Amino acid sequence: MATELFDPPALAAGTLRVIPLGGLGEIGRNMTAYEYDGKILIVDCGVLFPEEHQPGVDLILPDFTPIQSRLDDIVGVVLTHGHEDHIGAVPYLLRLRKDLPLMGSRLTLALVEAKLKEHKIAPVTRVVKEGQTDKLGPFELEFVAVNHSIPDALAVAITTPAGVVLHTGDFKMDQLPLDGRITDLRAFARLGERGVDLFLPDSTNADVPGFTPLERDIGPVLANVIARARKRVIVASFSSHVHRVQQVLDAAVANQRHVAFVGRSMVRNMGIAADLGYLHVPAGVLVDLKTAIDLPDDRVVFMSTGSQGEPMAVLARMSNQDHQIEVGEGDTVILASSLIPGNENAVYRVINGLTKLGATVVHKGNAKVHTSGHAAAGELLYCFNIIRPKNVLPVHGEARHLRAAADLAIETGVPAAHVFVGDNGIVVDLKDGVASVVGQLDIGFVYVDGSTVGEITDADLKDRRILAEEGFISIFVAIDSQTGRVIVGPEIQARGFAEDESVFDSVKPQILAALTEAARSGTHDQHGFQQVVRRTVGRWVNTQHRRRPMIIPVVIEA
C-alpha cells in the first residue's frame, strides 16, 4: 500500500524535527535531517547503488528537495563513518553549498576529502573523536565509539532543549575487534541513565538472531584458503573494509605471498588507511599491479574491488576476460564480503563466469570468509535494554529490517505507540520526551547518470528497460497533407526485435489501410497520424508476437 503523503505543520517552538531523507526501506543513501529553532543538522549523506532494473544509472542520491531551499540554515554535516552509503553523496550536497562544515573522525574525513578532491571541492572540516563533545548551532553533540567493519566509526548523541537523540550509525558489538576499539556500551548506558528520548538504531541485521560473529574468526579461514591455493589468489571486498584487507595482508605474509591492490578506490582508500596508521602493512609485502602480474602464480594475492558484481568493477571485468589479470585454471577467487540485497543476480553471474574460466570461487555460502559489520538481534536487544529509550525510529534497513528492529524494541518494553516504522520522508517531531509522526514528505530517487544529476526519471528507466528487454520498432511514413494518401513508406526498421525484416510484410498493408481510413474520417494532423501508426503496429506485434517493444512512428507531411 502506498504511503499517504501529508505536509507537516510549521515547527513549534521548543520542538526537534527529524526527517530521514534516505536509508529507510533500502540499504544505502543514509541521510537524516534534524531541525531545531530554524537550524538544520545533517547526519550522513550516502549513496545507494543501482540494481538491475535501473540500467545505466551510476549512483542514487538522497532527495535533497526538503532542504534545498534552506541551505543557509544548515549548520553542519556529521558523518558517522567512511562507507559510501554514508559519505558517497557529500560531493553532490557540497555542489549546492561548498562551505558546509563536515564533522567526523580522522579516517572518515580523510576518505571524504580524497573523494571531494576528485570533484575539485575543498571542504571545511572538523575532526572529532570518541568521548568528545562539540556544538553546531543549537545542537550539542557527543560522539561515542562504535565498532563496525571500518575503523573510526562513531555514534552521535544530539541534545537540544527538546530532548536527547542517539543516532548509532552502523555498528556491531564485536568484543574482540582487530583494532581493540569496541562499541562503548558504558557511554550508551550513561546516555540511557540521562534519558534518551529518541533512538535511531542500525537495523540491517535486526532479523538475524543471536550475535554477529567476530571479525578475527575470518583471518584463519582466509589463511587456510590461501595456503591451499595452487596458483594466484584474488580476494574481492569493499574498498573501505580496512579490517578485512588487514587480514588478507597477514594471511599473505604467512603464506609467503605478495599483495597488489587492484581498483582505483581500493588503491586510494588503503593508501589513506596506511598513511594514517589504521592499516599496518608488513614490510615488503605490497607490490604494484605490473610487478604482481609478473610474479610466480603461487606468490601473489590480488586484493580487488567488485564483490557486489558491479559491471565495471575489477572482478566482473575479470570474469568477462576484460582485464589484464587473466583468471584461469587453478586460480582461487575469494568473495570476502556480504551480499547486498538486490545484487544477487549480478554476483552469481560473476561467480559463474569465474567458475567457467576454471577458478575455484570461495564465498560466504561455502566458507566462513565474511562476517557482517552490523549488530544482530541479540546485540540490539542488549542496546535497547541498557539505553531504555522513550521512543524508537529504526533506520538503515529494508522494510523487513525496520520492522524486526521495531519488534525488538517493543519486546524490551518500549510502548508500540512510541515505535515508528516509516518510509523516507517520515516527519517525526520530538518535544519534552514525546515523539509523534506529523508528516510524510514525497521523497524520490535522484539518479546520477554519467555527468547528469537528477535529470533521469523513472519513466526514462522504464524506457531503457523496454529497449533492453523488448527492443524497438521505428516506422517512417510520408503522406500528402491534403489527401492523407501515403507517398513514401511505410519503411520499418527494428533493433532487438527480429533480424529478418520480412516479418513486417504482413503489417505494412494494415498501416496503409489504417492511415487511409483515418484521413477519410477527418484526421489531418501529424500527431493524429502517428497515433494511428503506433496503435496499428502495437496491436499487430502484441497479437502476432506477444511482445511489447517501444514503437516510434515518424510521419512526415508533404
Side-chain angles (χ1 to χ4, degrees):
M1 187 173 68
T3 302
E4 182 182 350
L5 303 177
F6 61 105
D7 292 330
L11 186 59
T15 302
L16 175 70
R17 178 159 289 173
V18 184
I19 309 176
L21 302 179
L24 270 62
E26 59 200 2
I27 304 293
R29 64 172 193 158
N30 298 283
M31 183 176 183
T32 306
Y34 294 88
E35 181 182 358
Y36 183 84
D37 195 22
K39 298 299 180 183
I40 298 172
L41 173 72
I42 303 295
V43 175
D44 288 329
C45 188
V47 296
L48 176 67
F49 294 102
E51 298 181 13
E52 287 188 329
H53 66 275
Q54 296 157 328
V57 173
D58 299 314
L59 299 168
I60 305 171
L61 306 182
D63 191 343
F64 299 147
T65 304
I67 61 170
Q68 198 153 356
S69 63
R70 302 188 57 194
L71 295 173
D72 290 339
D73 295 332
I74 301 175
V75 295
V77 180
V78 172
L79 301 170
T80 59
H81 64 281
H83 279 151
E84 286 293 308
D85 60 334
H86 290 257
I87 68 169
V90 170
Y92 301 94
L93 180 62
L94 263 57
R95 285 183 187 181
L96 304 177
R97 182 185 154 194
K98 287 186 169 57
D99 65 343
L100 279 176
L102 305 180
M103 186 177 284
S105 65
R106 194 162 63 114
L107 178 61
T108 300
L109 290 182
L111 294 172
V112 171
E113 286 167 350
K115 180 179 293 293
L116 290 170
K117 188 175 181 181
E118 296 178 356
H119 289 258
K120 298 181 172 57
I121 297 174
V124 177
T125 59
R126 190 188 304 180
V127 176
V128 294
K129 60 183 180 180
E130 59 266 28
Q132 182 176 335
T133 58
D134 213 316
K135 190 166 185 178
L136 285 173
F139 305 96
E140 294 180 9
L141 309 173
E142 179 181 347
F143 296 93
V144 180
V146 292
N147 176 251
H148 186 41
S149 54
I150 186 172
D152 245 7
L154 295 168
V156 58
I158 305 165
T159 301
T160 66
V164 178
V165 177
L166 179 56
H167 191 126
T168 66
D170 292 3
F171 83 105
K172 61 178 177 176
M173 287 164 50
D174 191 331
Q175 297 303 293
L176 297 170
L178 294 181
D179 58 3
R181 186 176 179 272
I182 63 174
T183 293
D184 191 350
L185 297 176
R186 292 175 301 175
F188 278 10
R190 194 166 56 248
L191 288 164
E193 287 294 322
R194 201 168 92 201
V196 171
D197 298 296
L198 180 61
F199 185 35
L200 281 74
D202 171 10
S203 307
T204 308
N205 274 356
D207 61 346
V208 178
F211 284 66
T212 299
L214 304 179
E215 175 68 30
R216 67 173 54 219
D217 291 345
I218 305 303
V221 181
L222 290 172
N224 183 46
V225 173
I226 293 174
R228 290 188 287 107
R230 293 186 292 115
K231 292 186 176 181
R232 293 175 300 180
V233 175
I234 298 139
V235 184
S237 182
F238 295 116
S239 64
S240 55
H241 201 328
V242 178
H243 298 320
R244 191 62 44 78
V245 174
Q246 183 69 65
Q247 303 223 72
V248 171
L249 289 174
D250 295 342
V253 170
N255 287 281
Q256 296 82 50
R257 288 179 181 252
H258 292 281
V259 177
F261 294 143
V262 189
R264 186 170 57 91
S265 59
M266 180 68 73
V267 172
R268 180 191 67 199
N269 292 346
M270 292 307 112
I272 292 169
D275 290 344
L276 295 179
Y278 295 97
L279 181 71
H280 305 288
V281 182
V285 68
L286 273 186
V287 295
D288 62 30
L289 179 58
K290 186 175 185 301
T291 301
I293 288 175
D294 294 332
L295 287 173
D297 286 352
D298 61 351
R299 288 291 173 262
V300 65
V301 174
F302 296 101
M303 187 74 227
S304 82
T305 58
S307 61
Q308 297 304 305
E310 307 96 310
M312 295 308 294
V314 171
L315 201 63
R317 290 169 56 200
M318 289 182 192
S319 73
N320 293 327
Q321 299 179 286
D322 185 30
H323 195 273
Q324 61 195 108
I325 300 173
E326 297 179 358
V327 176
E329 194 73 36
D331 290 339
T332 299
V333 179
I334 305 172
L335 297 181
S337 65
S338 60
L339 188 57
I340 294 176
N343 294 345
E344 293 88 350
N345 289 341
V347 171
Y348 291 129
R349 189 180 303 121
V350 169
I351 290 174
N352 287 329
L354 294 168
T355 303
K356 287 179 180 179
L357 294 174
T360 298
V361 183
V362 181
H363 52 84
K364 186 181 178 181
N366 57 26
K368 192 176 180 180
V369 291
H370 175 72
T371 184
S372 175
H374 302 272
E379 293 152 274
L380 289 174
L381 284 171
Y382 196 95
C383 288
F384 285 129
N385 281 327
I386 63 172
I387 295 168
R388 289 292 177 187
K390 294 178 183 175
N391 304 276
V392 176
L393 174 62
V395 295
H396 197 294
E398 296 183 335
R400 67 182 188 276
H401 306 129
L402 303 179
R403 182 71 263 171
D407 290 342
L408 293 174
I410 294 168
E411 285 181 38
T412 60
V414 182
H418 297 179
V419 180
F420 310 102
V421 177
D423 295 318
N424 292 326
I426 186 175
V427 183
V428 177
D429 279 2
L430 175 69
K431 184 175 184 180
D432 298 329
V434 178
S436 56
V437 177
V438 299
Q440 177 64 54
L441 305 181
D442 186 11
I443 298 295
F445 289 107
V446 178
Y447 300 109
V448 178
D449 182 48
S451 61
T452 67
V453 178
E455 295 182 16
I456 298 298
T457 66
D458 288 328
D460 296 321
L461 294 182
K462 181 180 179 182
D463 286 346
R464 290 180 180 182
R465 289 194 297 273
I466 291 172
L467 286 170
E469 297 167 5
E470 302 284 356
F472 81 92
I473 300 171
S474 67
I475 309 99
F476 173 81
V477 181
I479 62 174
D480 187 309
S481 58
Q482 301 299 318
T483 65
R485 185 175 60 85
V486 174
I487 303 171
V488 177
E491 297 177 0
I492 301 177
Q493 293 186 335
R495 291 291 183 273
F497 179 78
E499 293 184 10
D500 188 355
E501 292 187 5
S502 64
V503 73
F504 299 110
D505 290 346
S506 63
V507 75
K508 289 180 180 180
Q510 297 179 38
I511 296 171
L512 291 172
L515 288 172
T516 302
E517 178 59 31
R520 186 181 299 118
S521 302
T523 300
H524 296 293
D525 63 290
Q526 188 178 25
H527 176 73
F529 285 125
Q530 287 177 341
Q531 291 298 95
V532 168
V533 174
R534 178 179 282 110
R535 284 195 299 269
T536 303
V537 175
R539 189 165 49 247
W540 170 82
V541 77
N542 183 47
T543 302
Q544 298 297 317
H545 297 276
R546 296 291 187 266
R547 297 276 297 276
R548 300 185 67 180
M550 182 176 289
I551 298 170
I552 306 173
V554 179
V555 176
I556 296 178
E557 295 179 321

